[in-house]
Amino acid sequence: MDANNLIEALRGTMDPNLREAAERQLSEGHKQVNFVSTLLQLTMSEQLDLPVRQAGVIYLKNMVTQYWHEGEGTGAGEVPGFTIPDEDRQCIRDNIVEAIMHSPELIRVQLTTCIHHMIKHDYPNKWTAIVDKIGFYLQSDNSVGWLGILLCLYQLVKNYEYKKPDERSPLIAAMQHFLPMLKDRFIQLLPDPSNQSVLIQKQIFKIIYALVQYNLPMELINQQNLTEWMEILKTVVDRDVPAETLQVDEDDRPELPWWKCKKWALHILARLFERYGSPGNVSKDYTEFAELFLKGYAVSAQQVLLKVLYQYKEKHYVAPRVLQQTLNYINQGVAHALTWKNLKPHIQGIIQDVVFPLMCYTDTDEELWQEDPYEYIRMKFDVFEDFISPTTAAQTLLFTACSKRKEVLQKTMGYCYQILTEPTADPRKKDGALHMIGSLAEVLLKKKIYKDQMEFMLQNHVFPLFSSELGYMRARACWVLHYFCEVKFKIDQNLQTALELTRRCLIDDKEMPVKVEAAIALQVLISNQEKAKEYITPFIRPVMQALLHIVRETENDDLTNVIQKMICEYSEEVTPIAVEMTQHLAMTFNQVIQTGPDEEGGDDKAVTAMGILNTIDTLLSVVEDHKEITQQLEGICLQVIGTVLQQHVLEFYEEILSLAHSLTCQQVSPQMWQLLPLVFEVFQQDGFDYYTDMMPLLHNYITVDTDTLLSDTKYLEMIYSMCKKILTGDAGEDAECHAAKLLEVIILQCKGRGIDQVVPLFVEAALERLTREVKTSELRTMCLQVAIAALYYSPPLLLTTLENLRFPNNTEPITNHFITQWLNDVDCFLGLHDRKMCVLGLCALMDLEQRPQVVNQVAGQLLPATILLFNGLKRAYACRAEHENDEDDDEDGDEDEENELGSDEDDIDEEGQEYLEMLAKQAGEDGDDEDWEDDDAEETALEGYTTLVDDEDNLVDEYQIFKVIMQNLQTRDPGWYQALTQALSEEQGKQLQDIGTLADQRQAAHESKMIEKHGGYKFTAPVVPNNFNFGGSAPGMN
């Protein structure tokens, strides 16, 4: 496609009337040689108007991200997908750096995405020239290109930002060369306060931050260059911002380069101190650096940061992120004696003049509350807001200082009490004081001198605020109760008052932010105060109605959580109103999903919608024993499920499949059977991604209502068709394991139910999968297990199936192949169910009267394999018993003063250090197998999909079955018994005896359990044989 046609096509994409034809033209031309190179040339051409260049660069970016990686889109048996031709690649590599250097901002942003992808796939193997280019332009005295070249270097560093140290060597080699250049450039730019100069400085800092964020490359750092960089960082934090910036609107100031540059300098300082410069809190690799940093640099940096806080105190403007990172650094300084000594004289001033104002209700808060209370709520509960908020940083510093250093708490509480008891104090200051006290609740409730006073603090200073005319004070009162929900109330009346005031706020308050705080406070009080539950019981209906109303109004996810917890607390009381609640939640769900995911707030709404679906699921679990209610809920839930499936809202498939599963755990109604074809359709359209989420529901269809499953062949056909598609597609081995598991479940569930015509299909699907590459032993054993289940179902049927099977490129009979593979893999069967199936399969094999030749050939391996499995089973049963008896006895005792440090002590986190070292060790090696010996006793991931074989009441006991078969063989076929046992060692013979003993014990235990279950126990004198002769007939066996 020549340049002129390409220009016209790009122009056409911007005209709604020509767009379709233009896009078709581009799509037809994009595979031609020179297409991509021409795109880049047009993007760089200053003669073209900007919109065309923009359209070109966006198309170029999409081409590079999709087709740069060679061999993209080639699955098994597929034709290799299109990739950008080599001559185009070379042309782009040769020109993209210059394009980035000379393009306007709008074009440059897209080009940096291109270079990121190119570096990811080509550096260092195919594109070492990128490093030479960066070096060349960085050394150039022409500063026009510096910002562009730094953006290229930034993309190089970003590609290695999260990699392990041993994978970063190409980057480190390049940075040996670049780091000194960056430092020299920075020092050269420092005297120049212009916009352009500071933008370049900021970009250098961003490169440094990406370089050190997760690993500190010690080979790049020595004392001299560390000193120089620390001086640069301190200079930038300390320098004045040009006075004219004060003319800019306050909301826009943080985006100015001078503040952004300071922000990145502080990012680096806080990161260095927190992750690498805190002795006692770093991994081994950084011990030496931590000592060097703390002793040589931490205090002088802290001095500069104290100046920033002083400016804030003096009411000079400080950008919020600059303040936040400054507080984070100071917070780290509290823990070390050296920095604390420097900080101690200032801490009370910082708490009163910096932390306190940040904790108070502000004009900005007031404006938002009045203009958009729903946005106010969203902001206050936004987790991401916490990562960047100076208020959260102030709260953390307050907590650290008061919990770690003597006297700070006492002075802080004195200051807060003074404000609370001052009759004429500004309500906003009272709000700040209570915000501080609530933030310290955890510390206060552990200290003897405070914890008994807290009830009276609530009574005297918090309860009265519930009648305040100011909404934010009522909200703060609820918030404080939330944080003090663990107070031990000595006077019942105070607890009742707390509950009554909160309940009234929830139900009657006119301001939505107050209702939200009240909802959360009420729930945590009920969960933490024993007597609270019964007090609220009479009001549960209005409380629940209020909660449902607030969720619908605010679409706040924290509240769906509150409702779920309340449902669990009040399961009995909720049962009569479950239908009403579910209807309300279903309507709210429909309202929430009317917002498309791309609209503003779409992500938050998606989280809320998921919360609502989970809440409905919780309601279902609460009423599961009430059939008539469950049936009513089913209709409502099916409407919700239908909405999601018909609109293809993929992000909720997991939740609605979970709902459908909950609706089919006790019984499967005709309506729920009608859902199966819909689920099948979703599977066909949206493919493999949701198969594992469908699995619990499919398992219920098979095991809960086997009669209906078998009453119409279409049901089994659908389920088989899904499993087959997974096993022959490229869904990944986890989904394939699930598919094979489901086939095994059907075979075991329908033993004796006449599914002989489909079992061969199941076996073929599973074993055919083994003819292709299998990476995990889980998939190999799961596919084998389908055939083992078929052997248990009907040995003659399996053997005939195996004889008739033919796979391409496989000359030996499948029977031999299957049995050899099975015996080779016997140690890979883990958990209870898989080992049990293996034993039952081996029993069926040994019990065969018409044995295939291969079984006779492996006679000597059968019993050793069985003994190995029984040893594993013994561990697995012991592990299960242990889990069933596990009760957590972790009671938290009252901590008192131990956490405080003397002025000359450091806060050393020994556990954290061990944890860091363990992580580092695991990252460096895959861990030895020796530590994992107990793991094979744990349940396997798929064991939860139970079958009749796992039903404890209708016991299929592998020990007893094995024992009976061995006894029968001894008399029925002594020659075969001899062949099986002759090669056993003395140890194996003894293990065989033990299995026999265990079989008798298990039978006796099962009988007594059944008698107990059916209402009585008859005691008889036990008959204890003198010795166990495995060959003789065991007591109780016939």
Side-chain angles (χ1 to χ4, degrees):
M1 188 185 272
D2 72 0
N4 290 331
N5 288 347
L6 187 48
I7 292 168
E8 285 319 304
L10 290 170
R11 195 164 269 129
T13 59
M14 294 176 281
D15 181 339
N17 301 320
L18 305 174
R19 181 175 299 142
E20 207 171 306
E23 284 175 351
R24 196 177 318 116
Q25 197 181 349
L26 289 169
S27 174
E28 285 162 7
H30 80 260
K31 294 188 178 179
Q32 295 169 9
V33 177
N34 292 334
F35 178 85
V36 184
S37 321
T38 312
L39 262 181
L40 181 61
Q41 281 160 13
L42 297 180
T43 295
M44 292 168 73
S45 161
E46 290 178 13
Q47 277 72 50
L48 280 175
D49 46 339
L50 193 60
V52 175
R53 293 172 68 187
Q54 252 183 296
V57 78
I58 288 169
Y59 206 90
L60 174 68
K61 178 194 71 175
N62 294 340
M63 291 286 295
V64 170
T65 49
Q66 274 178 284
Y67 304 120
W68 192 270
H69 179 37
E70 291 176 67
E72 193 80 357
T74 51
E78 280 182 41
V79 182
F82 166 73
T83 59
I84 293 169
D86 284 344
E87 47 268 60
D88 278 313
R89 285 166 186 270
Q90 199 48 53
C91 173
I92 296 213
R93 286 190 202 111
D94 292 344
N95 293 293
I96 191 157
V97 171
E98 288 76 8
I100 289 174
M101 285 167 60
H102 301 300
S103 296
E105 171 79 8
L106 283 171
I107 305 280
R108 182 185 281 160
V109 170
Q110 308 292 345
L111 289 173
T112 50
T113 306
C114 295
I115 202 168
H116 183 87
H117 271 266
M118 293 164 62
I119 292 169
K120 180 179 172 183
H121 296 300
D122 291 3
Y123 180 78
N125 301 335
K126 297 178 188 162
W127 196 20
T128 47
I130 175 78
V131 171
D132 303 330
K133 270 204 172 174
I134 293 172
F136 174 76
Y137 287 116
L138 264 185
Q139 281 170 318
S140 153
D141 289 332
N142 180 2
S143 62
V144 174
W146 287 352
L147 186 59
I149 205 64
L150 288 169
L151 287 168
C152 298
L153 176 55
Y154 182 55
Q155 293 308 325
L156 177 69
V157 178
K158 285 295 277 181
N159 261 301
Y160 288 90
E161 186 170 14
Y162 303 112
K163 287 194 159 64
K164 293 178 193 166
D166 55 354
E167 293 170 354
R168 296 179 93 198
S169 46
L171 173 69
I172 303 304
M175 290 308 289
Q176 298 272 19
H177 187 46
F178 295 143
L179 203 57
M181 286 191 205
L182 293 176
K183 185 192 70 203
D184 294 342
R185 279 283 168 254
F186 212 116
I187 292 168
Q188 182 186 343
L189 288 164
L190 266 176
D192 174 3
S194 70
N195 191 338
Q196 194 55 28
S197 162
V198 177
L199 271 176
I200 295 170
Q201 294 171 39
K202 179 203 78 173
Q203 195 55 50
I204 294 176
F205 278 158
K206 285 181 76 170
I207 290 167
I208 303 293
Y209 186 73
L211 178 68
V212 303
Q213 182 181 195
Y214 279 96
N215 291 291
L216 189 63
M218 299 312 296
E219 54 274 56
L220 294 180
I221 289 170
N222 55 47
Q223 198 155 353
Q224 188 191 344
N225 68 17
L226 179 62
T227 304
E228 290 171 322
W229 276 112
M230 287 298 288
E231 285 308 314
I232 291 171
L233 289 162
K234 288 189 302 190
T235 305
V236 169
V237 173
D238 196 30
R239 70 183 174 196
D240 291 333
V241 170
E244 64 267 20
T245 58
L246 292 172
Q247 309 306 313
V248 177
D249 186 77
E250 201 166 298
D251 288 347
D252 300 328
R253 275 182 227 164
E255 293 306 306
L256 297 172
W258 298 275
W259 284 114
K260 279 194 153 182
C261 197
K262 283 180 185 285
K263 177 187 84 174
W264 284 103
L266 282 156
H267 251 321
I268 296 166
L269 283 171
R271 193 64 170 170
L272 284 174
F273 195 7
E274 168 201 12
R275 194 172 171 93
Y276 314 109
S278 271
N281 301 299
V282 297
S283 62
K284 265 206 307 267
D285 301 342
Y286 303 123
T287 313
E288 205 176 312
F289 177 85
E291 292 293 337
L292 172 70
F293 185 88
L294 184 68
K295 292 193 176 118
Y297 304 98
V299 174
S300 63
Q302 187 171 271
Q303 279 294 101
V304 175
L305 270 60
L306 287 171
K307 194 173 154 190
V308 173
L309 295 183
Y310 181 75
Q311 287 172 324
Y312 178 78
K313 175 206 163 187
E314 292 297 305
K315 304 283 186 282
H316 295 296
Y317 175 80
V318 178
R321 293 297 302 277
V322 168
L323 189 54
Q324 179 230 0
Q325 290 294 342
T326 302
L327 291 166
N328 285 350
Y329 185 100
I330 302 282
N331 180 54
Q332 200 62 38
V334 173
H336 299 284
L338 207 62
T339 36
W340 174 243
K341 188 177 173 190
N342 169 254
L343 190 58
K344 191 178 175 184
H346 306 285
I347 193 71
Q348 223 44 54
I350 292 172
I351 288 173
Q352 291 176 22
D353 298 327
V354 179
V355 172
F356 175 67
L358 283 167
M359 306 282 273
C360 291
Y361 189 73
T362 63
D363 288 344
T364 316
D365 291 333
E366 176 63 22
E367 196 179 311
L368 192 56
W369 181 303
Q370 295 305 336
E371 284 178 13
D372 189 346
Y374 294 99
E375 179 56 22
Y376 178 87
I377 293 164
R378 197 199 60 72
M379 201 188 75
K380 290 291 174 198
F381 286 92
D382 185 352
V383 192
F384 298 106
E385 195 71 32
D386 288 350
F387 286 118
I388 58 173
S389 152
T391 303
T392 309
Q395 210 168 316
T396 308
L397 170 59
L398 176 71
F399 186 86
T400 307
C402 288
S403 55
K404 297 265 187 273
R405 294 296 176 185
K406 287 192 173 75
E407 294 176 13
V408 181
L409 180 65
Q410 185 193 340
K411 287 180 179 165
T412 303
M413 287 304 285
Y415 178 70
C416 291
Y417 265 144
Q418 194 184 331
I419 293 168
L420 289 181
T421 50
E422 168 64 56
T424 57
D426 176 352
R428 291 188 179 192
K429 289 192 167 177
K430 283 198 172 182
D431 174 74
L434 286 168
H435 194 172
M436 281 169 67
I437 292 171
S439 303
L440 295 170
E442 193 186 318
V443 187
L444 294 167
L445 291 175
K446 284 181 181 166
K447 299 221 175 274
K448 284 193 180 70
I449 60 166
Y450 291 110
K451 68 177 177 190
D452 295 337
Q453 293 178 33
M454 287 303 110
E455 179 175 356
F456 302 107
M457 185 275 296
L458 296 176
Q459 187 182 342
N460 298 328
H461 300 292
V462 178
F463 292 172
L465 296 180
F466 279 92
S467 48
S468 165
E469 288 173 9
L470 299 166
Y472 71 87
M473 292 305 275
R474 300 195 300 277
R476 178 63 67 205
C478 295
W479 182 89
V480 174
L481 284 181
H482 164 190
Y483 278 84
F484 280 100
C485 62
E486 291 177 17
V487 161
K488 292 196 167 46
F489 284 99
K490 295 207 168 50
I491 301 167
D492 277 357
Q493 185 54 50
N494 281 335
L495 171 60
Q496 283 194 22
T497 305
L499 290 162
E500 181 58 19
L501 291 168
T502 315
R503 179 182 72 79
R504 280 201 206 140
C505 267
L506 169 67
I507 293 172
D508 301 328
D509 205 294
K510 299 286 179 281
E511 308 256 13
M512 195 50 85
V514 182
K515 283 175 164 314
V516 171
E517 289 292 1
I520 294 169
L522 189 63
Q523 181 259 308
V524 292
L525 281 168
I526 291 167
S527 297
N528 287 283
Q529 300 285 345
E530 253 177 67
K531 295 177 179 172
K533 187 176 170 183
E534 61 189 90
Y535 180 77
I536 292 295
T537 303
F539 307 106
I540 201 63
R541 180 187 280 265
V543 163
M544 281 302 193
Q545 284 168 336
L547 288 172
L548 290 167
H549 172 70
I550 299 169
V551 166
R552 181 175 295 175
E553 288 288 305
T554 61
E555 300 182 353
N556 178 309
D557 176 51
D558 290 82
L559 294 174
T560 55
N561 241 330
V562 166
I563 297 183
Q564 280 180 56
K565 287 177 178 160
M566 292 288 280
I567 290 168
C568 298
E569 290 284 353
Y570 290 100
S571 50
E572 269 179 53
E573 290 77 12
V574 160
T575 302
I577 54 170
V579 175
E580 194 184 315
M581 288 181 68
T582 308
Q583 279 167 335
H584 198 289
L585 286 163
M587 283 166 70
T588 306
F589 176 77
N590 285 335
Q591 170 195 308
V592 173
I593 64 165
Q594 295 315 312
T595 311
D598 303 331
E599 289 180 41
E600 197 185 340
D603 287 350
D604 290 343
K605 284 174 179 269
V607 172
T608 304
M610 283 177 193
I612 293 171
L613 294 175
N614 290 328
T615 307
I616 296 176
D617 219 343
T618 308
L619 271 169
L620 280 172
S621 63
V622 161
V623 300
E624 66 184 358
D625 296 333
H626 301 266
K627 267 198 178 155
E628 66 295 347
I629 296 179
T630 307
Q631 280 164 0
Q632 285 175 276
L633 295 188
E634 186 181 281
I636 306 166
C637 293
L638 276 169
Q639 285 175 341
V640 171
I641 292 168
T643 304
V644 172
L645 291 181
Q646 278 146 12
Q647 295 182 16
H648 297 282
V649 195
L650 305 187
E651 57 200 314
F652 304 135
Y653 277 10
E654 199 177 322
E655 283 74 18
I656 57 132
L657 288 163
S658 169
L659 269 186
H661 165 254
S662 299
L663 289 166
T664 49
C665 286
Q666 310 287 327
Q667 57 173 29
V668 185
S669 69
Q671 289 77 15
M672 290 309 292
W673 276 107
Q674 284 169 15
L675 180 65
L676 180 57
L678 258 180
V679 170
F680 180 58
E681 201 180 304
V682 164
F683 174 81
Q684 303 284 48
Q685 284 181 344
D686 301 315
F688 305 144
D689 298 348
Y690 299 95
Y691 179 74
T692 52
D693 297 320
M694 294 173 179
M695 177 86 173
L697 171 62
L698 297 175
H699 175 255
N700 277 357
Y701 279 126
I702 296 161
T703 55
V704 175
D705 192 0
T706 315
D707 293 347
T708 308
L709 174 80
L710 298 177
S711 69
D712 187 336
T713 53
K714 72 175 181 199
Y715 295 136
L716 259 186
E717 276 168 16
M718 281 188 266
I719 294 176
Y720 165 66
S721 159
M722 289 158 87
C723 297
K724 171 89 173 166
K725 195 168 175 183
I726 293 284
L727 287 166
T728 50
D730 56 355
E733 296 204 355
D734 181 48
E736 292 176 309
C737 283
H738 280 77
K741 178 71 190 177
L742 206 57
L743 294 176
E744 184 216 13
V745 168
I746 298 171
I747 296 171
L748 296 177
Q749 193 65 25
C750 303
K751 181 170 160 58
R753 302 285 299 262
I755 58 160
D756 295 25
Q757 72 285 13
V758 296
V759 170
L761 297 173
F762 293 6
V763 172
E764 180 178 3
L767 294 185
E768 189 278 326
R769 177 62 189 88
L770 293 180
T771 62
R772 288 173 283 119
E773 187 198 9
V774 174
K775 294 192 179 79
T776 60
S777 60
E778 285 85 352
L779 180 57
R780 209 169 53 247
T781 52
M782 206 53 253
C783 288
L784 290 170
Q785 217 162 289
V786 176
I788 296 167
L791 179 64
Y792 172 71
Y793 174 92
S794 161
L797 179 63
L798 176 75
L799 293 172
T800 315
T801 303
L802 293 178
E803 286 308 313
N804 295 333
L805 271 185
R806 289 286 171 272
F807 292 133
N809 313 327
N810 219 333
T811 46
E812 90 178 292
I814 301 293
T815 314
N816 297 15
H817 201 71
F818 163 62
I819 287 175
T820 317
Q821 183 74 54
W822 179 10
L823 289 170
N824 276 344
D825 278 341
V826 97
D827 58 336
C828 299
F829 288 82
L830 305 175
L832 260 180
H833 173 87
D834 297 4
R835 288 190 176 107
K836 180 174 182 170
M837 279 316 301
C838 235
V839 167
L840 293 172
L842 289 169
C843 286
L845 213 52
M846 292 187 282
D847 201 29
L848 285 172
E849 293 189 14
Q850 305 292 313
R851 286 186 297 280
Q853 188 53 39
V854 64
V855 178
N856 292 324
Q857 287 164 2
V858 297
Q861 295 175 45
L862 297 176
L863 280 177
T866 311
I867 290 167
L868 177 80
L869 290 162
F870 272 122
N871 286 340
L873 275 169
K874 192 173 178 181
R875 290 198 300 279
Y877 279 116
C879 184
R880 178 201 271 185
E882 199 176 309
H883 278 311
E884 283 171 2
N885 296 333
D886 261 5
E887 288 298 338
D888 286 332
D889 303 325
D890 296 347
E891 282 297 309
D892 278 332
D894 279 353
E895 270 178 65
D896 206 351
E897 316 296 325
E898 311 100 352
N899 279 350
E900 284 188 351
L901 303 167
S903 285
D904 55 351
E905 283 184 286
D906 288 324
D907 185 19
I908 294 178
D909 176 10
E910 284 166 7
E911 284 177 19
Q913 236 173 316
E914 285 168 19
Y915 178 66
L916 284 173
E917 275 161 31
M918 181 194 81
L919 283 183
K921 192 174 169 199
Q922 281 181 358
E925 55 195 72
D926 286 335
D928 285 335
D929 286 347
E930 289 164 26
D931 303 342
W932 303 104
E933 268 188 5
D934 290 344
D935 262 25
D936 69 354
E938 293 283 352
E939 274 201 1
T940 64
L942 294 171
E943 216 160 298
Y945 296 107
T946 53
T947 62
L948 288 173
V949 171
D950 310 295
D951 183 354
E952 289 187 13
D953 290 346
N954 308 317
L955 196 62
V956 175
D957 188 86
E958 64 279 22
Y959 283 84
Q960 292 169 47
I961 289 171
F962 173 70
K963 179 172 179 178
V964 170
I965 283 175
M966 292 309 291
Q967 286 173 339
N968 291 347
L969 283 179
Q970 203 172 4
T971 48
R972 187 185 83 208
D973 194 345
W976 174 234
Y977 182 84
Q978 176 71 17
L980 289 169
T981 52
Q982 65 190 3
L984 292 181
S985 67
E986 192 178 328
E987 175 60 23
Q988 287 168 325
K990 182 178 175 308
Q991 287 174 326
L992 215 50
Q993 288 279 342
D994 292 344
I995 293 166
T997 310
L998 208 46
D1000 294 340
Q1001 289 169 354
R1002 285 171 66 85
Q1003 187 186 6
H1006 181 63
E1007 283 169 4
S1008 71
K1009 191 174 172 185
M1010 287 298 104
I1011 292 168
E1012 205 173 326
K1013 195 167 181 181
H1014 295 111
Y1017 210 105
K1018 299 184 180 61
F1019 289 95
T1020 52
V1023 180
V1024 182
N1026 299 330
N1027 63 349
F1028 287 101
N1029 170 13
F1030 197 80
S1033 93
M1037 297 298 289
N1038 41 18

